[in-house]
Amino acid sequence: MPAKKKRGAQTLVFDQPPVITSWASIAGPKEGQGPWGQDFDWSMEDYLFGEESWEKAENKMLRETVKKALNKRNFDEADTEILMAGDLLNQLVSSNYAARELGIPFLGLYGACSTMAESLLLAAILVDGEFFERVIAAACSHHYTAERQFRFPTEQGIQKTPSSQWTATAAGAVLLEPVGTGPRITAVSIGKVIDMDQKDVSDMGSAMAPAAAHTIKTHFSDLNRPSDYYDLIVTGDLGKVGMAITQELFIKDGLQPEPNYSDCGVLLYDDFQEVYAGGSGCGCSACFLCGPLLKKMSAGEINKLLFVATGALMSPITSFQGESIPAIAHAVAIEN
Amino acid sequence: MPAKKKRGAQTLVFDQPPVITSWASIAGPKEGQGPWGQDFDWSMEDYLFGEESWEKAENKMLRETVKKALNKRNFDEADTEILMAGDLLNQLVSSNYAARELGIPFLGLYGACSTMAESLLLAAILVDGEFFERVIAAACSHHYTAERQFRFPTEQGIQKTPSSQWTATAAGAVLLEPVGTGPRITAVSIGKVIDMDQKDVSDMGSAMAPAAAHTIKTHFSDLNRPSDYYDLIVTGDLGKVGMAITQELFIKDGLQPEPNYSDCGVLLYDDFQEVYAGGSGCGCSACFLCGPLLKKMSAGEINKLLFVATGALMSPITSFQGESIPAIAHAVAIEN
């Protein structure tokens, strides 16, 4: 059997584009006070969300977001065939413990901040390939669990550089089905790991921008699409620094999608919210997709969206050992 | 479209069972001296494998194993469409950095020691669904990187309990294609997270045994297969303690696959090698599959194998916070 759904180097086109029949998002206190606060299903009042640790709060955020997406469609966990999810914590514990409590068969994914695109693209493959009929794709992050794991004890109040980004406290989940009403996933491009030898962990936007540009360029060339095909191309969480580099790379690559290009990390917060170069964390693009973006698609304000979540794939250990930051980006085409 | 490839609660049956056309494995110094040392493609002379850190050695192990599996089939990285891989390190860095150097489009997976089954089952879905034609599934672990990440500084020489297991230094990779010569993946069962409230991180076999028994029972009931269908059912790395519990659970569940049941963690080492209850780590089942087991399938000594890799999904943080150990197991049916 030839791979009849593959186009070009890295892109798949679906015969029976899976439908996003439901979605839900949750935002942390800061994210809820940002410009899109009304577009999330919940905004948390505090960072503990009724739990005794930030880690348990993050687990609850993912679990409740999945339940909300199912409930909107009048399904519950028992109706759901498989959960594809990931987060930023070591050993993926937010997702693992959420999957334990949800009781849905589970596959854990790690793509750093690219995880929402990874879970979406694999979920679309499972539905288009006639393997499953009700698949949940989800991702989450929590500012304070990430801060103490990747950076410094939060109590220490270490000063940040202007290029650093604010890990979003947020989660998003979508339900994919083979038929129904909603936007459809029509094509996906799976990224390669790109590393331009950037070693500054306070500037992940610069490390991720070349991966985003590479995947977007490949997506257009694999599908032979004009660069104005989409109403909006949105990267995951490059922030202001990474977004500016990506725009330069677009021009160098002969793509000129501006002004229909933006970045979830730039959009999620208001300028006065002190998030340095912007938002990050896999919850950033997950909540922005499962809040403002899918709402706009429902309303017909966006009809063709290219969602490109980006991830920086280093760890504190590799940085201590002098390694540069490898990055990845996956693209998911969502169309009405 | 109905999910026509799904059977029962958690099982997929493939229309065009993907073929394992090539495979490779690497074993650490201790594993190479065990009873199956001759069946791996390499045995490492030391734990650094020519690198300057154990982490870099683990990355090289995965990279070289993937290259070896491709080379045996006269392919190289440029011929390969996608790499599905994972490991035990925080942020999956062995796989991420190996993917950077291989340059193959990449999806990172985390299933703790169940990762080889997770990568295999997703790779089989990608090939059976006609998405890709040359997919690599791989996993690795390294004793000393895991020891210092999950337990204690290795220099400290902390005494182990008899129920603890020895993280294997090993990697395995398979190449899946839609047509060709080799054993085929005919069906897979995707596990649920099972947690029986076991909190002792020095006894992961007991934590994982119920997940293994649950997936195996579900696999047989979903496919309505007799419990003597397979020549061998092999769990990932339950070790002696977990294997004994699994055998008891089989009897309770009305399955009696003995004597055609064993465990990679029990098989990998000789008794005198001082590995306590047995081997563990995602390299344990990965190298055992991609060494002794697939060799025996090639020779016709095993014709029907059920490979059930098991993972304990806690982290040091969740254990410090008093959480119990959730576990998962995925089953992959491989037949000549």
Side-chain angles (χ1 to χ4, degrees):
Chain A
M1 278 296 112
K4 68 175 188 179
K5 294 168 189 171
K6 189 168 166 224
R7 299 288 180 281
Q10 293 168 232
T11 301
L12 300 174
V13 173
F14 298 120
D15 292 342
Q16 298 148 341
V19 188
I20 299 177
T21 56
S22 184
W23 57 87
S25 57
I26 188 162
K30 192 177 185 102
E31 293 71 19
Q33 287 159 17
W36 307 91
Q38 299 304 312
D39 290 338
F40 305 112
D41 290 284
W42 293 274
S43 293
M44 290 156 60
E45 288 181 14
D46 61 49
Y47 287 94
L48 281 170
F49 204 25
E51 297 291 317
E52 62 190 11
S53 73
W54 293 324
E55 286 75 13
K56 287 184 205 279
E58 185 174 337
N59 161 358
K60 185 177 175 186
M61 288 165 57
L62 185 64
R63 194 171 79 225
E64 293 301 321
T65 307
V66 169
K67 282 187 187 175
K68 186 78 174 176
L70 290 171
N71 292 347
K72 285 185 186 178
R73 182 81 179 91
N74 294 319
F75 287 147
D76 67 16
E77 299 90 294
D79 298 312
T80 313
E81 295 174 307
I82 184 161
L83 169 66
M84 318 284 294
D87 57 83
L88 293 179
L89 294 193
N90 294 343
Q91 289 73 58
L92 230 62
V93 286
S94 301
S95 305
N96 296 343
Y97 283 86
R100 174 184 75 179
E101 281 134 39
L102 292 165
I104 306 171
F106 170 65
L107 294 173
L109 310 174
Y110 185 78
C113 306
S114 74
T115 301
M116 191 69 215
E118 182 177 353
S119 65
L120 261 185
L121 75 86
L122 279 169
I125 284 169
L126 291 174
V127 173
D128 177 78
E130 303 183 353
F131 297 103
F132 291 104
E133 286 185 286
R134 282 184 295 281
V135 180
I136 288 274
C140 68
S141 57
H142 188 295
H143 182 76
Y144 290 105
T145 64
E147 204 61 17
R148 68 177 168 191
Q149 176 181 283
F150 287 107
R151 295 173 192 102
F152 300 96
T154 42
E155 296 80 355
Q156 214 170 323
I158 294 278
Q159 200 173 8
K160 302 261 186 183
T161 65
S163 62
S164 68
Q165 293 173 241
W166 181 272
T167 306
T169 303
V174 307
L175 173 65
L176 283 191
E177 297 182 77
V179 291
T181 306
R184 289 169 176 271
I185 298 181
T186 54
V188 299
S189 297
I190 299 174
K192 287 186 180 184
V193 178
I194 306 284
D195 187 332
M196 302 300 281
D197 207 32
Q198 210 280 78
K199 294 186 178 182
D200 179 1
V201 293
S202 295
D203 179 13
M204 292 195 290
S206 296
M208 296 191 289
H214 183 273
T215 296
I216 293 168
K217 183 187 177 185
T218 304
H219 180 81
F220 282 109
S221 71
D222 282 351
L223 296 178
N224 199 22
R225 279 192 177 156
S227 61
D228 62 355
Y229 179 86
Y230 294 99
D231 300 326
L232 179 65
I233 298 172
V234 65
T235 44
D237 55 350
L238 299 178
K240 289 176 194 170
V241 176
M243 183 172 160
I245 297 171
T246 304
Q247 285 170 312
E248 284 185 33
L249 292 170
F250 282 158
I251 294 166
K252 201 176 147 198
D253 288 342
L255 291 175
Q256 304 218 4
E258 217 174 343
N260 60 351
Y261 165 60
S262 195
D263 179 78
C264 301
V266 171
L267 293 165
L268 186 61
Y269 302 96
D270 273 317
D271 267 345
F272 62 81
Q273 287 190 289
E274 293 189 6
V275 293
Y276 318 102
S280 70
C282 40
C284 175
S285 61
C287 81
F288 207 79
L289 175 69
C290 301
L293 292 173
L294 286 172
K295 192 174 177 185
K296 281 184 181 294
M297 290 200 77
S298 270
E301 293 169 40
I302 298 173
N303 286 306
K304 291 177 177 175
L305 172 71
L306 189 65
F307 174 74
V308 188
T310 46
L313 301 177
M314 78 298 176
S315 79
I317 291 280
T318 59
S319 297
F320 289 146
Q321 293 184 353
E323 273 283 11
S324 53
I325 302 173
I328 200 162
H330 306 296
V332 180
I334 308 175
E335 302 184 59
N336 275 335
Chain B
M1 279 294 112
K4 69 175 189 180
K5 293 168 188 170
K6 190 170 166 222
R7 299 288 181 280
Q10 293 168 231
T11 301
L12 300 174
V13 173
F14 298 120
D15 291 344
Q16 298 149 337
V19 188
I20 300 176
T21 56
S22 184
W23 58 87
S25 57
I26 189 162
K30 192 175 184 105
E31 293 70 19
Q33 287 159 17
W36 306 92
Q38 298 305 311
D39 291 337
F40 305 112
D41 289 284
W42 295 273
S43 294
M44 290 155 60
E45 286 182 15
D46 61 50
Y47 286 93
L48 282 171
F49 203 26
E51 298 291 317
E52 62 190 11
S53 74
W54 292 324
E55 286 76 13
K56 287 183 204 280
E58 186 174 336
N59 160 357
K60 184 177 175 185
M61 287 165 59
L62 185 63
R63 195 170 79 225
E64 293 302 321
T65 307
V66 169
K67 283 187 186 175
K68 185 78 174 178
L70 290 171
N71 291 347
K72 284 184 185 178
R73 181 82 178 89
N74 293 321
F75 288 147
D76 66 17
E77 299 90 295
D79 300 311
T80 313
E81 295 174 306
I82 184 162
L83 168 66
M84 318 284 294
D87 58 82
L88 294 179
L89 293 193
N90 295 343
Q91 289 75 56
L92 230 62
V93 286
S94 302
S95 304
N96 296 343
Y97 284 85
R100 175 184 75 178
E101 282 133 38
L102 292 164
I104 306 170
F106 170 63
L107 294 172
L109 310 174
Y110 185 78
C113 306
S114 73
T115 301
M116 191 67 216
E118 182 177 353
S119 64
L120 260 185
L121 74 87
L122 279 169
I125 284 169
L126 290 174
V127 173
D128 177 77
E130 304 183 354
F131 297 102
F132 291 103
E133 286 185 285
R134 283 184 296 280
V135 180
I136 288 274
C140 67
S141 57
H142 188 296
H143 181 76
Y144 290 105
T145 66
E147 202 63 17
R148 68 176 168 190
Q149 176 181 285
F150 287 107
R151 296 173 193 102
F152 301 95
T154 42
E155 296 80 354
Q156 213 170 325
I158 294 278
Q159 199 173 10
K160 302 262 187 184
T161 64
S163 61
S164 69
Q165 294 174 240
W166 182 273
T167 305
T169 303
V174 306
L175 172 66
L176 283 191
E177 296 182 76
V179 291
T181 307
R184 288 169 176 270
I185 298 182
T186 54
V188 299
S189 296
I190 298 175
K192 287 185 181 185
V193 177
I194 306 284
D195 187 332
M196 302 302 280
D197 207 32
Q198 211 279 78
K199 294 185 178 182
D200 179 2
V201 292
S202 294
D203 179 12
M204 292 195 291
S206 295
M208 296 191 289
H214 183 273
T215 296
I216 293 167
K217 183 187 176 186
T218 304
H219 179 82
F220 282 108
S221 70
D222 282 350
L223 297 177
N224 198 21
R225 278 190 178 157
S227 60
D228 61 355
Y229 179 86
Y230 294 99
D231 298 327
L232 178 66
I233 297 172
V234 66
T235 43
D237 54 350
L238 299 178
K240 288 177 194 170
V241 176
M243 182 173 161
I245 296 171
T246 303
Q247 285 170 312
E248 283 183 35
L249 291 170
F250 283 158
I251 293 166
K252 203 177 147 198
D253 289 340
L255 292 174
Q256 305 216 1
E258 215 173 348
N260 59 351
Y261 165 60
S262 195
D263 179 78
C264 300
V266 171
L267 292 166
L268 186 61
Y269 302 96
D270 273 317
D271 268 345
F272 61 80
Q273 287 190 289
E274 293 189 5
V275 293
Y276 318 104
S280 70
C282 41
C284 175
S285 60
C287 82
F288 207 79
L289 175 68
C290 302
L293 291 173
L294 286 172
K295 191 173 178 185
K296 280 185 181 294
M297 290 199 78
S298 270
E301 292 168 42
I302 298 173
N303 287 305
K304 292 177 177 175
L305 172 70
L306 190 65
F307 174 72
V308 188
T310 47
L313 301 177
M314 79 297 176
S315 79
I317 291 281
T318 58
S319 298
F320 287 146
Q321 293 184 352
E323 273 284 10
S324 53
I325 302 172
I328 201 162
H330 306 296
V332 180
I334 308 174
E335 303 184 60
N336 275 334

